[in-house]
């Protein structure tokens, strides 16, 4: 099908390095002895454990429930016993430990009683969303946003176009490419299910033009109901806002969401997960992960969630040591982890092993504006850098720091080796912390005011009660005084009567 494509500003033509891991079929990673399941694997509120230490669980059983609207449940990746619920190293830039459920595998991989949803097309879209949520589906492209939230936006608002994103623009990563080649029927069927769930008028699946095998696999399975589009290979064409611009020529407003212009976007892996959830009742307990870089056998693995990064690297024939550094994600947006015992989680798309290099020294900004030309969001990266460095958070916000997608194009081209993205992350975290403090202070202020109001109310009530008591007493006193006066009058009259002469009354009468 022909669709007019558009360009997005900036971006880079960089070596893709995809041939390293993308050519071989994926393999199933062996069942590990122990699986570490972090309670926070998605954007939003962490899941809450519903199992206890010592309890036996089956594969696919819920082990933690969703704890709010922007939250999803978590399921056991295999059958076994819960051996701990506690803090373990997790994939996070802070490298801090976080709460996890640890399963000791019993080696049987025995499945929980899971139920498929038949005839999805006749199911109410809201019910389909609930199935997707119950199966713990989040944005598997790396964003990690609970899928049902985006689907709900779709039901609440009119959706013109559903875009299924197969544009894997980060260098080295090939897990979506392999998934499409190996499970194209899942991707296409899942796309139709998501379309039903959001009631979209149009539907597009997009891949890059350097993914010919994936394109061919999809082409065989689609019909006239889905447009299949190849977009030019240019980083970061797979970014949500950039892909929307390429496919529709429309821009998502600053700070806005795609739904504001009638668009919903999901990743190809999310579509495949939806297919599994709806037709088989299968929750998200495994994913494709690219293991690449300085490993002997770079490839894509089908990995159970909770498997350690170290296990995945060993499966590709290399032992981690201080000569290597491990990046989760791609070289542009990925996160460096020093502890290879962190587990694979729902958003882990790539494990990149690179030779450890001494960091290049940062030099002063020479105002060359290369970063401005490379920015795909039309920001002023060097200005943001100055403001972040000067701790002027207000200025970073007025220069739209939250529109920065942390794509790293600016850092990549900077001749002064300034780690610009690190400055933006610092600024964003400072603003978020200030916001939390402000919310905390507002909360404390609100509690203080509420307490004062309550004390005022109580004081007023006490005063009113006292006044009532006084007035009641006064009223009783008055009544008693009147009664006493009446009694006295009565007594006086009776006395006078008794003193009067006998027969006198008769005479008077
Ligand atoms: S690319 Fe680097 S040196 Fe050039 S203006 Fe941007 S921050 Fe400054
Ligand atoms: S990291 Fe942010 S500022 Fe730098 S190019 Fe990307 S979007 Fe622009």
């Amino acid at each position: 099908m022909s669709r007019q494509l558009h360009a997005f500003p900036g971006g880079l033509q960089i070596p893709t390095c995809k041939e390293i891991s993308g050519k071989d079929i994926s393999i199933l990673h062996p069942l590990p002895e122990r699986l570490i399941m972090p309670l926070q694997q998605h954007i939003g509120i962490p899941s809450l454990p519903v199992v206890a230490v010592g309890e036996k669980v089956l594969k696919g059983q819920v082990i933690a429930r969703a704890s709010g609207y922007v939250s999803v449940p978590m399921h056991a990746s295999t059958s076994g016993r819960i051996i701990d619920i506690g803090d373990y190293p997790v994939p996070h830039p802070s490298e801090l430990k976080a709460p996890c459920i640890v399963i000791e595998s019993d080696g049987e991989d025995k499945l929980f009683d899971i139920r498929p949803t038949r005839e999805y097309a006749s199911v109410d879209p809201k019910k389909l969303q609930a199935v997707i949520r119950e199966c713990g589906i989040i944005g598997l492209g790396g964003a990690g946003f609970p899928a049902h939230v985006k689907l709900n936006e779709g039901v609440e608002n009119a959706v013109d176009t559903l875009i299924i994103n197969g544009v894997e623009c980060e260098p080295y990563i090939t897990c979506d490419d392999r998934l499409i080649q190996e499970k194209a029927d899942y991707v296409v069927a899942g796309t139709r299910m998501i379309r039903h769930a959001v009631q979209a008028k149009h539907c597009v699946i997009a891949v890059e033009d350097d993914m010919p095998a994936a394109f061919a696999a999809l082409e065989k399975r689609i019909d006239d109901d889905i447009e299949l589009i190849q977009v030019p290979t240019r980083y970061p064409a797979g970014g949500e806002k950039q892909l929307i611009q390429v496919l529709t020529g429309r821009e998502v407003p600053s700070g806005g969401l795609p739904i504001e212009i009638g668009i919903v976007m999901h990743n190809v892996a999310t579509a495949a997960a939806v297919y599994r959830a709806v037709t088989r009742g299968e929750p998200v307990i495994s994913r494709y992960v690219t293991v690449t870089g300085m490993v002997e056998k770079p490839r894509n693995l089908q990995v159970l969630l909770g498997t350690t990064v170290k296990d995945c690297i060993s499966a590709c024939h290399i032992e981690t040591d201080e000569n290597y550094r491990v990046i989760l994600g791609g070289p542009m947006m990925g996160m460096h982890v020093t502890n290879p015992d962190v587990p694979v989680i729902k958003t882990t798309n790539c494990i990149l092993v690179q030779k450890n290099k001494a960091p290049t020294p940062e030099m002063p900004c020479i105002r060359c504006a290369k970063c401005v030309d490379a920015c795909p969001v039309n920001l002023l990266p060097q200005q943001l850098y100055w403001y972040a460095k000067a701790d002027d958070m207000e200025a970073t916000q007025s220069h739209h720091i939250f529109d920065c997608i942390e794509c790293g194009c600016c850092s990549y081209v900077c001749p002064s080796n300034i780690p610009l993205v690190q400055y933006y992350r610092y600024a964003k975290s400072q603003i978020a912390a200030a916001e939390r403090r402000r919310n905390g202070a507002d909360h404390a202020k609100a509690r203080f005011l509420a307490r004062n109001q309550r004390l005022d109310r109580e004081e007023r009530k006490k005063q009113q009660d006292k006044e009532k008591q006084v007035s009641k007493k006064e009223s009783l006193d008055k009544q008693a005084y009147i009664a006493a006066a009446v009694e006295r009058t009565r007594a006086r009259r009776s006395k006078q009567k008794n003193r009067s002469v006998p027969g006198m009354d008769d005479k008077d009468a």
Side-chain angles (χ1 to χ4, degrees):
M1 276 189 199
S2 65
R3 169 182 276 259
Q4 193 197 338
L5 298 183
H6 308 262
F8 60 88
L12 298 172
Q13 209 76 54
I14 45 180
T16 63
C17 306
K18 295 196 187 258
E19 65 295 342
I20 301 173
S21 62
K23 42 190 194 308
D24 296 329
I25 59 162
S26 67
I27 59 165
L28 265 177
H29 186 269
L31 183 61
E33 285 173 12
R34 210 175 68 138
L35 294 150
I36 303 162
M37 317 284 296
L39 293 170
Q40 175 91 72
Q41 301 197 27
H42 54 269
I43 288 177
I45 311 165
S47 317
L48 280 176
V50 292
V51 286
V53 174
E55 200 172 323
K56 285 193 172 170
V57 290
L58 295 173
K59 179 176 183 152
Q61 181 181 333
V62 174
I63 52 173
R65 64 172 172 82
S67 58
Y69 177 57
V70 188
S71 184
V72 289
M74 191 172 81
H75 306 76
S77 302
T78 189
S79 59
R81 201 169 55 90
I82 306 294
I83 56 165
D84 196 15
I85 301 175
D87 289 349
Y88 284 81
V90 295
H92 190 271
S94 69
E95 302 232 48
L96 292 173
K97 291 181 178 179
C100 297
I101 298 177
V102 185
I103 303 170
E104 183 184 60
S105 160
D106 59 13
E108 292 177 25
D109 216 21
K110 216 168 149 199
L111 203 59
F112 188 63
D113 177 25
I114 47 182
R115 307 234 163 112
T117 308
R118 306 232 177 262
E119 299 297 332
Y120 79 89
S122 57
V123 170
D124 181 86
K126 284 263 177 203
K127 279 196 185 145
L128 208 54
Q129 281 174 33
V131 171
I132 289 166
R133 184 182 196 196
E134 281 156 20
C135 287
I137 299 178
I138 62 166
L140 297 175
F145 202 70
H148 66 276
V149 178
K150 271 194 191 177
L151 297 175
N152 190 35
E153 279 169 6
V155 172
E156 305 291 329
N157 303 273
V159 176
D160 181 72
T161 306
L162 166 68
I163 299 173
I164 299 296
N165 186 351
V167 179
E168 201 166 32
C169 58
E170 267 241 36
Y172 289 96
I173 308 176
T174 54
C175 59
D176 284 350
D177 191 356
R178 285 276 18 136
L179 172 86
I180 298 171
Q181 290 182 50
E182 295 170 16
K183 308 277 183 211
D185 41 353
Y186 290 17
V187 173
V188 172
T191 298
R192 292 196 171 108
M193 289 166 186
I194 297 176
R195 183 180 191 172
H196 176 69
V198 295
Q199 299 286 292
K201 273 195 231 150
H202 307 286
C203 181
V204 181
I205 301 180
V207 295
E208 273 183 304
D209 58 10
D210 68 348
M211 299 166 69
F215 183 83
L218 290 168
E219 202 174 25
K220 273 190 218 154
R221 285 156 180 98
I222 58 157
D223 233 319
D224 286 348
D225 58 334
I226 298 174
E227 264 183 88
L228 178 61
I229 303 289
Q230 281 180 301
V231 302
T233 300
R234 184 173 183 80
Y235 180 77
E240 190 172 61
K241 293 183 179 177
Q242 288 65 42
L243 186 55
I244 289 171
Q245 204 165 352
V246 170
L247 293 173
T248 67
R250 301 180 67 191
E251 277 185 52
V252 178
S254 168
L257 294 171
I259 192 62
E260 290 169 33
I261 55 169
I263 291 172
V264 169
M265 186 183 291
H266 284 279
N267 170 267
V268 281
T270 310
V274 167
Y275 167 79
R276 285 192 143 112
V278 174
T279 56
R280 302 182 186 174
E282 277 179 27
V284 180
I285 51 171
S286 68
R287 66 159 299 141
Y288 275 58
V289 179
T290 305
V291 184
T292 186
M294 308 291 297
V295 289
E296 265 179 46
K297 296 206 165 165
R299 54 164 57 118
N300 282 280
L301 300 175
Q302 292 180 47
V303 183
L304 287 181
L305 303 180
T307 306
T308 65
V309 164
K310 189 157 90 186
D311 272 2
C312 298
I313 296 172
S314 301
C316 297
H317 298 242
I318 199 168
E319 295 303 325
T320 50
D321 63 29
E322 67 279 5
N323 292 324
Y324 298 99
R325 63 182 199 142
V326 177
I327 293 171
L328 296 187
M332 301 296 282
M333 298 178 80
M335 118 182 64
H336 178 206
V337 288
T338 53
N339 187 346
D341 285 324
V342 296
V344 166
I345 60 170
K346 293 179 185 178
T347 52
T348 311
N349 53 4
C350 179
I351 300 169
L352 172 61
V353 183
Q354 291 187 319
K355 272 264 182 235
N356 237 341
K357 284 189 287 186
T360 21
E362 179 182 330
M363 288 178 293
C365 171
I366 53 169
R367 294 190 177 270
C368 65
K370 285 190 178 172
C371 51
V372 181
D373 297 339
C375 182
V377 195
N378 279 333
L379 298 177
L380 296 171
Q382 88 282 29
Q383 293 292 107
L384 285 172
Y385 155 67
W386 284 113
Y387 294 132
K389 203 172 172 187
D391 269 320
D392 188 346
M393 298 309 160
E394 220 175 296
T396 62
Q397 277 182 282
S398 63
H399 281 72
H400 308 287
I401 191 149
F402 284 102
D403 283 345
C404 167
I405 57 169
E406 298 180 15
C407 64
C409 289
C410 51
S411 309
Y412 188 90
V413 296
C414 177
S416 296
N417 301 318
I418 302 172
L420 295 163
V421 180
Q422 286 178 26
Y423 282 97
Y424 310 148
R425 284 183 185 149
Y426 162 76
K428 286 180 187 177
S429 68
Q430 290 298 305
I431 295 165
E435 184 81 3
R436 276 197 300 277
R437 277 198 301 278
R438 201 165 37 247
N439 287 344
D442 287 350
H443 190 60
K445 193 174 161 194
R447 275 176 42 201
F448 176 75
L449 287 174
R451 181 174 176 274
N452 281 357
Q453 281 169 357
R454 178 174 56 79
L455 292 176
D456 272 0
R457 264 199 317 274
E458 285 173 5
E459 191 53 42
R460 266 203 311 278
K461 186 160 184 319
K462 258 193 225 160
Q463 193 60 34
Q464 281 165 358
D465 287 351
K466 210 167 157 187
E467 282 167 12
K468 267 189 209 156
Q469 290 287 341
V470 170
S471 94
K472 196 172 168 189
K473 188 169 179 298
E474 282 175 358
S475 154
L476 284 173
D477 286 354
K478 203 170 170 184
Q479 282 172 19
Y481 175 80
I482 293 167
V486 170
E487 191 52 39
R488 276 197 307 276
T489 310
R490 211 179 270 143
R492 201 172 48 244
R493 282 192 183 154
S494 156
K495 219 171 169 184
Q496 283 170 353
K497 200 172 176 184
N498 291 341
R499 265 208 313 260
S500 58
V501 182
M504 183 73 175
D505 287 349
D506 297 340
K507 188 182 166 187
D508 283 347

